[in-house]
Amino acid sequence: AQSVAQPEDQVNVAEGNPLTVKCTYSVSGNPYLFWYVQYPNRGLQFLLKYITGDNLVKGSYGFEAEFNKSQTSFHLKKPSALVSDSALYFCAVRDPPGGGATNKLIFGTGTLLAVQP
Amino acid sequence: ETGVTQTPRHLVMGMTNKKSLKCEQHLGHNAMYWYKQSAKKPLELMFVYNFKEQTENNSVPSRFSPECPNSSHLFLHLHTLQPEDSALYLCASSQHEFGTSYWEQFFGPGTRLTVL
């Protein structure tokens, strides 16, 4: 069964510093990977996805993620953190289409990013 | 209204009450989802509807009853809930095409449910 792991409950970073939020996955076959962000009292917002192609994926708000097949990781990164980036971040995985695969997303437990001014 | 809307945003109910959560998507999607978000736990997928047909019931207790009258609306009917059902209930939608697509899901703001 597919699964994702976010090993850090919280990541603290100073404003202006680079940030990384970690995600590792376990799937059979080629994964479809996603990052979502959740601000307080809001639903999840889509940030970016990896389907195929370049291992470095660029998304919204200056975020990017690097797909690493050998390490089964899909870490979220940003070169320079902003206080407004403080939120809860979720990694998710789904089956690639075909072969009876569903459109079900499996989410990690989330990582709280706190950016200090 | 744009995107995915949910009403009410907050709901407090007793264990013997019956209430309904409503979700509406304005994106022209054909798949809708209910998720439960509890503190310190991963998002739990509850139900999936594709083209108005329920395609997934993730072992959800029968006190939760979904309804999808058309591809734009999704309801979650609640009755005789337990305090442990208190959580944020999120609705999402996506465009699902068999065998080809992977479209990302778009989420509503959620309904914060408290069961007393």
Side-chain angles (χ1 to χ4, degrees):
Chain A
Q2 320 97 301
S3 65
V4 290
Q6 293 182 244
E8 303 153 316
D9 287 340
Q10 183 162 338
V11 169
N12 298 305
V13 64
E15 187 173 32
N17 283 0
L19 69 87
T20 298
V21 182
K22 295 179 180 177
C23 172
T24 57
Y25 65 89
S26 174
V27 298
S28 55
N30 296 317
Y32 282 19
L33 295 158
F34 301 79
W35 275 103
Y36 285 82
V37 59
Q38 185 177 30
Y39 297 100
N41 300 313
R42 303 285 296 275
L44 277 67
Q45 294 180 38
F46 169 76
L47 274 181
L48 52 79
K49 64 179 180 276
Y50 172 82
I51 305 300
T52 186
D54 289 340
N55 290 341
L56 187 63
V57 178
K58 295 189 182 297
S60 307
Y61 312 121
F63 283 93
E64 57 189 28
E66 186 170 11
F67 172 66
N68 188 316
K69 190 171 184 177
S70 62
Q71 297 185 5
T72 62
S73 67
F74 189 57
H75 301 332
L76 182 70
K77 300 181 180 184
K78 187 173 182 181
S80 178
L82 300 173
V83 172
S84 57
D85 292 329
S86 298
L88 190 57
Y89 290 81
F90 291 94
C91 183
V93 66
R94 60 151 288 175
D95 287 330
T102 70
N103 48 345
K104 183 167 81 171
L105 282 177
I106 305 298
F107 286 87
T109 51
T111 298
L112 182 64
L113 173 66
V115 181
Q116 285 87 38
Chain B
E1 294 276 15
T2 59
V4 182
T5 58
Q6 290 185 244
T7 55
R9 293 293 308 275
H10 300 271
L11 178 62
V12 179
M13 60 187 289
M15 293 168 61
T16 58
N17 291 158
K18 291 185 180 180
K19 297 286 184 182
S20 296
L21 309 185
K22 179 183 176 182
C23 174
E24 185 173 1
Q25 59 94 2
H26 310 267
L27 301 168
H29 289 162
N30 54 26
M32 296 187 78
Y33 313 78
W34 279 117
Y35 288 88
K36 177 183 178 182
Q37 185 178 24
S38 306
K40 306 291 186 184
K41 293 177 71 174
L43 251 70
E44 300 172 57
L45 178 66
M46 300 174 73
F47 301 104
V48 180
Y49 278 82
N50 287 315
F51 302 96
K52 302 185 297 178
E53 299 297 321
Q54 188 181 126
T55 55
E56 183 116 11
N57 177 336
N58 215 25
S59 302
V60 180
S62 60
R63 58 185 183 269
F64 294 92
S65 174
E67 179 190 2
C68 188
N70 55 62
S71 58
S72 299
H73 294 84
L74 185 64
F75 295 88
L76 188 62
H77 304 301
L78 317 170
H79 64 98
T80 59
L81 295 192
Q82 305 296 313
E84 59 265 29
D85 296 323
S86 298
L88 182 68
Y89 288 85
L90 292 166
C91 174
S93 71
S94 70
Q95 184 65 16
H96 181 64
E97 296 174 17
F98 292 106
T100 59
S101 277
Y102 51 80
W103 303 103
E104 56 268 23
Q105 295 179 17
F106 293 80
F107 285 79
T111 295
R112 174 68 63 186
L113 174 66
T114 303
V115 182
L116 301 177

